[in-house]
Amino acid sequence: SSTYREHGGSHSVYCAASGSAAAPPGGPYPANMSGWMAYGPFSLVGATAARATFWHWTKSQLSKDTFQFMMSVDGLHFWGFKRSGTSGTTWVSEGFDFDDDLLPTSGLGQPSVYFAFIFESDGATQYEGAYVDDLVITKTAGGTPCVVTCSASVPGGTTPGASERLLGTRNASRC
């Protein structure tokens, strides 16, 4: 986690904070990097709707380096959306519907769903990177929402180059 930039609270997650070529918050991020941070698996069985909301601050090489937010129903194949360039000098709110028509499959009804943030760069130009904060995943089943809020802290002792997992706390029943 990072205290360099934060949207809510006192920490956010920085795209290049760990791994074999970790960079300090503020960047620049390493060339040719691929950083992953995933939450899951979690169940969307019985869900009539499910949505992830979060804030990000991004400064990357336009069309070359990307901040991605994606889901998977098998832990291997991920689908979603990407952003590139800059969010300006402000944080941007994003939403991700697990049954978006643009996805090849829906996460609704699936017993094992993953949500991931991915940052990838090429070898040309590096900028500051991406930060993520205030992730909330909401599952609605039978009209009752279940909210999981994920903090910016990650487990200690992470192996360099390994994926980090978001820590989640369940704030409602029926999750």
Side-chain angles (χ1 to χ4, degrees):
S1 69
S2 168
T3 58
Y4 188 77
R5 292 191 188 277
E6 66 278 335
H7 178 264
S10 60
H11 291 80
S12 66
V13 177
Y14 178 55
C15 68
S18 67
S20 59
Y29 50 82
N32 301 308
M33 75 167 281
S34 180
W36 284 66
M37 183 174 63
Y39 176 72
F42 55 94
S43 175
L44 291 181
V45 170
T48 55
R51 181 172 174 81
T53 57
F54 59 93
W55 291 82
H56 72 92
W57 186 102
T58 304
K59 186 173 184 181
S60 66
Q61 183 185 12
L62 184 62
S63 302
K64 303 290 183 181
D65 302 341
T66 59
F67 165 67
Q68 305 164 44
F69 40 103
M70 305 198 155
M71 72 127 202
S72 173
V73 296
D74 64 7
L76 299 172
H77 304 94
F78 285 80
W79 305 283
F81 306 97
K82 62 183 173 181
R83 302 289 181 256
S84 185
T86 181
S87 61
T89 58
T90 187
W91 287 82
V92 175
S93 176
E94 294 277 4
F96 183 95
D97 292 314
F98 287 89
D99 65 340
D100 193 296
D101 291 338
L102 297 175
L103 300 174
T105 190
S106 173
L108 301 186
Q110 299 293 327
S112 295
V113 180
Y114 299 81
F115 186 71
F117 295 107
I118 305 161
F119 187 87
E120 294 180 329
S121 70
D122 68 1
T125 305
Q126 291 76 49
Y127 293 97
E128 186 171 338
Y131 301 81
V132 175
D133 207 351
D134 302 331
L135 170 63
V136 175
I137 298 174
T138 304
K139 169 186 174 181
T140 302
T144 304
C146 163
V147 178
V148 177
T149 304
C150 299
S151 71
S153 59
V154 292
T158 304
T159 304
S163 296
E164 294 186 355
R165 291 196 169 283
L166 291 166
L167 297 179
T169 54
R170 291 193 172 143
N171 295 329
S173 60
R174 300 185 60 148
C175 291

